[in-house]
Amino acid sequence: MVSEQSLAHASIDPMSVTKETSSSAAFHLPAQVISIKLDGTNFLSWSAQLLPLFRSYGLMGIVDGSEPSPSKFCSTEHQTQGVLNSDYVVWQYKDQTILGWIISSLSPAVVSTIYGLETSRLAWQALGARFAAPSTSRISLIKRKLQSLQQGSMQCQQFLDAVKSLADELSAVGKPIDDSDLILSVLNGLNSSFHSFVTTYMLLAKEKSMSFSDFHAELLNFDLM
């Protein structure tokens, strides 16, 4: 993150920053909006909560690089005088606001990934490269979690959400799982109270395949019986 000390040695021409520009750079984000902390296994759901924020505040261009940083100084004379470009000041405020949001949404174990990175774009790219890139080890880890996931004391809907979350993670790294395999993962993880449902489904599956959405609905209907 850009240090406050580096800005302390430069001044801003107060006449060059209008009230309109200053107010447009003010962002008030409710803390509860960022509820998912990136822990290294949930990049898809984590990024899904941040991207709409970036778009709604008109900040996506800073994150994706389509709105690059303006020049720090408007002229050599201003550089000599230490007068910062007002557009740069506003851009940097936005950039550091985004970076603050990103940092606040990281688990302690993940924060080290962006140590030393001074812009939101660099931080976003680093996190994506580490946690969204389809590495063999990461894909294997997600698959093992999916195969070993058990319902245990979870409610049926909670268990289905957990399974779907892992499936979405695989899709995010370019390894989507077939509906039939996803259904099998659910069946293998259900607790004993769903034994009759599993038996019935296996018999029906021999005659006709079922989409995961239909299976999801049937399982929840059974749970309500």
Side-chain angles (χ1 to χ4, degrees):
M1 188 180 296
V2 176
S3 66
E4 295 180 2
Q5 184 177 7
S6 63
L7 289 178
H9 297 294
S11 62
I12 304 170
D13 183 353
M15 297 303 293
S16 66
V17 183
T18 65
K19 291 182 179 179
E20 181 180 356
T21 303
S22 298
S23 62
S24 68
F27 306 105
H28 304 286
L29 182 68
Q32 63 269 25
V33 171
I34 303 179
S35 58
I36 301 174
K37 298 280 188 178
L38 178 62
D39 60 12
T41 64
N42 59 346
F43 183 84
L44 185 65
S45 55
W46 171 79
S47 60
Q49 76 176 340
L50 287 176
L51 290 174
L53 288 175
F54 299 157
R55 297 188 187 104
S56 65
Y57 282 95
L59 301 172
M60 197 65 218
I62 294 178
V63 178
D64 65 21
S66 60
E67 184 184 337
S69 171
S71 299
K72 191 172 184 178
F73 301 99
C74 292
S75 65
T76 303
E77 181 182 358
H78 281 179
Q79 183 174 3
T80 302
Q81 296 172 350
V83 178
L84 294 173
N85 177 3
S86 61
D87 289 340
Y88 168 79
V89 173
V90 173
W91 184 93
Q92 188 191 57
Y93 177 87
K94 293 178 179 180
D95 176 64
Q96 295 302 292
T97 296
I98 300 169
L99 185 56
W101 291 350
I102 292 174
I103 293 173
S104 68
S105 69
L106 303 180
S107 66
V110 172
V111 173
S112 60
T113 303
I114 61 172
Y115 280 166
L117 301 181
E118 297 189 346
T119 68
S120 59
R121 175 164 170 73
L122 289 176
W124 188 260
Q125 288 178 320
L127 293 168
R130 179 176 178 184
F131 300 114
S135 66
T136 302
S137 59
R138 183 161 179 266
I139 292 171
S140 298
L141 175 62
I142 298 172
K143 285 183 175 180
R144 287 198 300 272
K145 285 186 175 182
L146 184 59
Q147 293 167 357
S148 62
L149 186 63
Q150 297 294 307
Q151 179 183 1
S153 60
M154 286 188 285
Q155 296 294 322
C156 185
Q157 182 64 69
Q158 291 177 312
F159 176 58
L160 286 170
D161 288 344
V163 170
K164 187 61 167 59
S165 177
L166 290 171
D168 288 343
E169 288 291 326
L170 286 173
S171 295
V173 296
K175 297 293 181 180
I177 184 171
D178 292 336
D179 278 7
S180 58
D181 291 334
L182 189 57
I183 290 172
L184 186 59
S185 294
V186 174
L187 294 174
N188 289 335
L190 288 170
N191 60 36
S192 58
S193 64
F194 290 90
H195 178 72
S196 61
F197 175 86
V198 174
T199 301
T200 302
Y201 174 81
M202 296 303 291
L203 291 173
L204 293 175
K206 294 179 180 179
E207 301 177 2
K208 183 180 179 181
S209 61
M210 184 181 294
S211 68
F212 183 76
S213 59
D214 288 340
F215 170 82
H216 184 283
E218 291 292 336
L219 181 56
L220 290 181
N221 285 336
F222 178 86
D223 187 44
L224 294 174
M225 293 173 59

PDB file of all heavy atoms in Angstrom, residues 116-135:
ATOM      1  N   GLY A 116       3.639  -6.142   0.154  1.00  0.00           N
ATOM      2  CA  GLY A 116       4.500  -5.365  -0.726  1.00  0.00           C
ATOM      3  C   GLY A 116       3.840  -4.883  -2.002  1.00  0.00           C
ATOM      4  O   GLY A 116       4.448  -4.119  -2.754  1.00  0.00           O
ATOM      5  N   LEU A 117       2.612  -5.301  -2.267  1.00  0.00           N
ATOM      6  CA  LEU A 117       1.910  -4.872  -3.480  1.00  0.00           C
ATOM      7  C   LEU A 117       1.147  -3.585  -3.176  1.00  0.00           C
ATOM      8  O   LEU A 117       0.329  -3.549  -2.261  1.00  0.00           O
ATOM      9  CB  LEU A 117       0.955  -5.970  -3.961  1.00  0.00           C
ATOM     10  CG  LEU A 117       1.625  -7.316  -4.272  1.00  0.00           C
ATOM     11  CD1 LEU A 117       0.597  -8.322  -4.773  1.00  0.00           C
ATOM     12  CD2 LEU A 117       2.743  -7.139  -5.294  1.00  0.00           C
ATOM     13  N   GLU A 118       1.398  -2.552  -3.946  1.00  0.00           N
ATOM     14  CA  GLU A 118       0.924  -1.223  -3.581  1.00  0.00           C
ATOM     15  C   GLU A 118      -0.353  -0.778  -4.282  1.00  0.00           C
ATOM     16  O   GLU A 118      -0.875   0.289  -3.981  1.00  0.00           O
ATOM     17  CB  GLU A 118       2.026  -0.193  -3.844  1.00  0.00           C
ATOM     18  CG  GLU A 118       3.266  -0.415  -2.991  1.00  0.00           C
ATOM     19  CD  GLU A 118       4.249   0.738  -3.099  1.00  0.00           C
ATOM     20  OE1 GLU A 118       4.103   1.565  -4.021  1.00  0.00           O
ATOM     21  OE2 GLU A 118       5.150   0.820  -2.245  1.00  0.00           O
ATOM     22  N   THR A 119      -0.858  -1.560  -5.229  1.00  0.00           N
ATOM     23  CA  THR A 119      -2.095  -1.169  -5.902  1.00  0.00           C
ATOM     24  C   THR A 119      -3.107  -2.308  -5.838  1.00  0.00           C
ATOM     25  O   THR A 119      -2.747  -3.483  -5.682  1.00  0.00           O
ATOM     26  CB  THR A 119      -1.859  -0.813  -7.386  1.00  0.00           C
ATOM     27  OG1 THR A 119      -1.499  -1.996  -8.112  1.00  0.00           O
ATOM     28  CG2 THR A 119      -0.768   0.237  -7.527  1.00  0.00           C
ATOM     29  N   SER A 120      -4.362  -1.940  -5.978  1.00  0.00           N
ATOM     30  CA  SER A 120      -5.425  -2.943  -5.919  1.00  0.00           C
ATOM     31  C   SER A 120      -5.328  -3.919  -7.090  1.00  0.00           C
ATOM     32  O   SER A 120      -5.613  -5.108  -6.940  1.00  0.00           O
ATOM     33  CB  SER A 120      -6.789  -2.252  -5.921  1.00  0.00           C
ATOM     34  OG  SER A 120      -6.967  -1.462  -7.085  1.00  0.00           O
ATOM     35  N   ARG A 121      -4.926  -3.426  -8.245  1.00  0.00           N
ATOM     36  CA  ARG A 121      -4.813  -4.304  -9.415  1.00  0.00           C
ATOM     37  C   ARG A 121      -3.750  -5.376  -9.198  1.00  0.00           C
ATOM     38  O   ARG A 121      -3.970  -6.554  -9.491  1.00  0.00           O
ATOM     39  CB  ARG A 121      -4.493  -3.493 -10.666  1.00  0.00           C
ATOM     40  CG  ARG A 121      -4.248  -4.360 -11.909  1.00  0.00           C
ATOM     41  CD  ARG A 121      -4.324  -3.551 -13.191  1.00  0.00           C
ATOM     42  NE  ARG A 121      -3.867  -4.292 -14.350  1.00  0.00           N
ATOM     43  CZ  ARG A 121      -4.544  -5.276 -14.937  1.00  0.00           C
ATOM     44  NH1 ARG A 121      -5.713  -5.651 -14.439  1.00  0.00           N
ATOM     45  NH2 ARG A 121      -4.072  -5.895 -15.992  1.00  0.00           N
ATOM     46  N   LEU A 122      -2.597  -4.983  -8.681  1.00  0.00           N
ATOM     47  CA  LEU A 122      -1.538  -5.955  -8.421  1.00  0.00           C
ATOM     48  C   LEU A 122      -1.992  -6.991  -7.389  1.00  0.00           C
ATOM     49  O   LEU A 122      -1.707  -8.186  -7.524  1.00  0.00           O
ATOM     50  CB  LEU A 122      -0.277  -5.245  -7.935  1.00  0.00           C
ATOM     51  CG  LEU A 122       0.493  -4.425  -8.975  1.00  0.00           C
ATOM     52  CD1 LEU A 122       1.660  -3.693  -8.315  1.00  0.00           C
ATOM     53  CD2 LEU A 122       0.992  -5.318 -10.110  1.00  0.00           C
ATOM     54  N   ALA A 123      -2.702  -6.530  -6.364  1.00  0.00           N
ATOM     55  CA  ALA A 123      -3.195  -7.448  -5.334  1.00  0.00           C
ATOM     56  C   ALA A 123      -4.216  -8.416  -5.920  1.00  0.00           C
ATOM     57  O   ALA A 123      -4.168  -9.628  -5.660  1.00  0.00           O
ATOM     58  CB  ALA A 123      -3.816  -6.653  -4.187  1.00  0.00           C
ATOM     59  N   TRP A 124      -5.134  -7.895  -6.724  1.00  0.00           N
ATOM     60  CA  TRP A 124      -6.172  -8.726  -7.340  1.00  0.00           C
ATOM     61  C   TRP A 124      -5.548  -9.774  -8.261  1.00  0.00           C
ATOM     62  O   TRP A 124      -5.953 -10.943  -8.258  1.00  0.00           O
ATOM     63  CB  TRP A 124      -7.140  -7.839  -8.110  1.00  0.00           C
ATOM     64  CG  TRP A 124      -8.356  -8.551  -8.628  1.00  0.00           C
ATOM     65  CD1 TRP A 124      -8.569  -9.003  -9.895  1.00  0.00           C
ATOM     66  CD2 TRP A 124      -9.526  -8.898  -7.879  1.00  0.00           C
ATOM     67  NE1 TRP A 124      -9.796  -9.608  -9.984  1.00  0.00           N
ATOM     68  CE2 TRP A 124     -10.406  -9.557  -8.767  1.00  0.00           C
ATOM     69  CE3 TRP A 124      -9.913  -8.710  -6.554  1.00  0.00           C
ATOM     70  CZ2 TRP A 124     -11.655 -10.029  -8.364  1.00  0.00           C
ATOM     71  CZ3 TRP A 124     -11.159  -9.181  -6.152  1.00  0.00           C
ATOM     72  CH2 TRP A 124     -12.012  -9.829  -7.047  1.00  0.00           C
ATOM     73  N   GLN A 125      -4.561  -9.356  -9.037  1.00  0.00           N
ATOM     74  CA  GLN A 125      -3.895 -10.288  -9.947  1.00  0.00           C
ATOM     75  C   GLN A 125      -3.146 -11.375  -9.181  1.00  0.00           C
ATOM     76  O   GLN A 125      -3.169 -12.548  -9.566  1.00  0.00           O
ATOM     77  CB  GLN A 125      -2.928  -9.529 -10.857  1.00  0.00           C
ATOM     78  CG  GLN A 125      -3.603  -8.671 -11.915  1.00  0.00           C
ATOM     79  CD  GLN A 125      -2.603  -7.902 -12.753  1.00  0.00           C
ATOM     80  OE1 GLN A 125      -1.609  -7.382 -12.249  1.00  0.00           O
ATOM     81  NE2 GLN A 125      -2.858  -7.826 -14.049  1.00  0.00           N
ATOM     82  N   ALA A 126      -2.485 -10.988  -8.102  1.00  0.00           N
ATOM     83  CA  ALA A 126      -1.720 -11.958  -7.317  1.00  0.00           C
ATOM     84  C   ALA A 126      -2.632 -13.002  -6.681  1.00  0.00           C
ATOM     85  O   ALA A 126      -2.321 -14.202  -6.676  1.00  0.00           O
ATOM     86  CB  ALA A 126      -0.917 -11.233  -6.236  1.00  0.00           C
ATOM     87  N   LEU A 127      -3.761 -12.554  -6.169  1.00  0.00           N
ATOM     88  CA  LEU A 127      -4.706 -13.480  -5.540  1.00  0.00           C
ATOM     89  C   LEU A 127      -5.321 -14.415  -6.578  1.00  0.00           C
ATOM     90  O   LEU A 127      -5.492 -15.615  -6.331  1.00  0.00           O
ATOM     91  CB  LEU A 127      -5.799 -12.697  -4.810  1.00  0.00           C
ATOM     92  CG  LEU A 127      -5.320 -11.908  -3.584  1.00  0.00           C
ATOM     93  CD1 LEU A 127      -6.397 -10.935  -3.114  1.00  0.00           C
ATOM     94  CD2 LEU A 127      -4.928 -12.851  -2.449  1.00  0.00           C
ATOM     95  N   GLY A 128      -5.640 -13.860  -7.742  1.00  0.00           N
ATOM     96  CA  GLY A 128      -6.198 -14.688  -8.803  1.00  0.00           C
ATOM     97  C   GLY A 128      -5.205 -15.720  -9.300  1.00  0.00           C
ATOM     98  O   GLY A 128      -5.553 -16.877  -9.551  1.00  0.00           O
ATOM     99  N   ALA A 129      -3.945 -15.297  -9.438  1.00  0.00           N
ATOM    100  CA  ALA A 129      -2.908 -16.211  -9.921  1.00  0.00           C
ATOM    101  C   ALA A 129      -2.681 -17.363  -8.949  1.00  0.00           C
ATOM    102  O   ALA A 129      -2.424 -18.500  -9.354  1.00  0.00           O
ATOM    103  CB  ALA A 129      -1.606 -15.447 -10.136  1.00  0.00           C
ATOM    104  N   ARG A 130      -2.801 -17.058  -7.668  1.00  0.00           N
ATOM    105  CA  ARG A 130      -2.539 -18.102  -6.665  1.00  0.00           C
ATOM    106  C   ARG A 130      -3.738 -19.009  -6.423  1.00  0.00           C
ATOM    107  O   ARG A 130      -3.582 -20.233  -6.299  1.00  0.00           O
ATOM    108  CB  ARG A 130      -2.121 -17.466  -5.343  1.00  0.00           C
ATOM    109  CG  ARG A 130      -1.858 -18.499  -4.253  1.00  0.00           C
ATOM    110  CD  ARG A 130      -1.354 -17.888  -2.969  1.00  0.00           C
ATOM    111  NE  ARG A 130      -1.169 -18.907  -1.947  1.00  0.00           N
ATOM    112  CZ  ARG A 130      -0.814 -18.652  -0.690  1.00  0.00           C
ATOM    113  NH1 ARG A 130      -0.573 -17.405  -0.309  1.00  0.00           N
ATOM    114  NH2 ARG A 130      -0.684 -19.635   0.180  1.00  0.00           N
ATOM    115  N   PHE A 131      -4.934 -18.423  -6.372  1.00  0.00           N
ATOM    116  CA  PHE A 131      -6.087 -19.204  -5.932  1.00  0.00           C
ATOM    117  C   PHE A 131      -7.095 -19.542  -7.028  1.00  0.00           C
ATOM    118  O   PHE A 131      -7.940 -20.412  -6.833  1.00  0.00           O
ATOM    119  CB  PHE A 131      -6.809 -18.474  -4.801  1.00  0.00           C
ATOM    120  CG  PHE A 131      -5.943 -18.254  -3.600  1.00  0.00           C
ATOM    121  CD1 PHE A 131      -5.582 -16.970  -3.207  1.00  0.00           C
ATOM    122  CD2 PHE A 131      -5.457 -19.325  -2.873  1.00  0.00           C
ATOM    123  CE1 PHE A 131      -4.774 -16.757  -2.103  1.00  0.00           C
ATOM    124  CE2 PHE A 131      -4.644 -19.131  -1.769  1.00  0.00           C
ATOM    125  CZ  PHE A 131      -4.298 -17.843  -1.380  1.00  0.00           C
ATOM    126  N   ALA A 132      -7.024 -18.865  -8.173  1.00  0.00           N
ATOM    127  CA  ALA A 132      -7.962 -19.181  -9.254  1.00  0.00           C
ATOM    128  C   ALA A 132      -7.285 -19.949 -10.375  1.00  0.00           C
ATOM    129  O   ALA A 132      -7.958 -20.534 -11.214  1.00  0.00           O
ATOM    130  CB  ALA A 132      -8.588 -17.900  -9.812  1.00  0.00           C
ATOM    131  N   ALA A 133      -5.959 -19.936 -10.389  1.00  0.00           N
ATOM    132  CA  ALA A 133      -5.234 -20.659 -11.434  1.00  0.00           C
ATOM    133  C   ALA A 133      -5.458 -22.165 -11.286  1.00  0.00           C
ATOM    134  O   ALA A 133      -5.436 -22.691 -10.173  1.00  0.00           O
ATOM    135  CB  ALA A 133      -3.742 -20.347 -11.354  1.00  0.00           C
ATOM    136  N   PRO A 134      -5.670 -22.853 -12.396  1.00  0.00           N
ATOM    137  CA  PRO A 134      -5.973 -24.290 -12.336  1.00  0.00           C
ATOM    138  C   PRO A 134      -4.741 -25.162 -12.099  1.00  0.00           C
ATOM    139  O   PRO A 134      -4.326 -25.929 -12.963  1.00  0.00           O
ATOM    140  CB  PRO A 134      -6.592 -24.560 -13.713  1.00  0.00           C
ATOM    141  CG  PRO A 134      -5.948 -23.564 -14.613  1.00  0.00           C
ATOM    142  CD  PRO A 134      -5.757 -22.333 -13.762  1.00  0.00           C
ATOM    143  N   SER A 135      -4.137 -25.042 -10.925  1.00  0.00           N
ATOM    144  CA  SER A 135      -2.982 -25.883 -10.614  1.00  0.00           C
ATOM    145  C   SER A 135      -3.450 -27.303 -10.311  1.00  0.00           C
ATOM    146  O   SER A 135      -4.537 -27.520  -9.777  1.00  0.00           O
ATOM    147  CB  SER A 135      -2.223 -25.324  -9.410  1.00  0.00           C
ATOM    148  OG  SER A 135      -3.014 -25.396  -8.249  1.00  0.00           O
TER     149      SER A 135
END
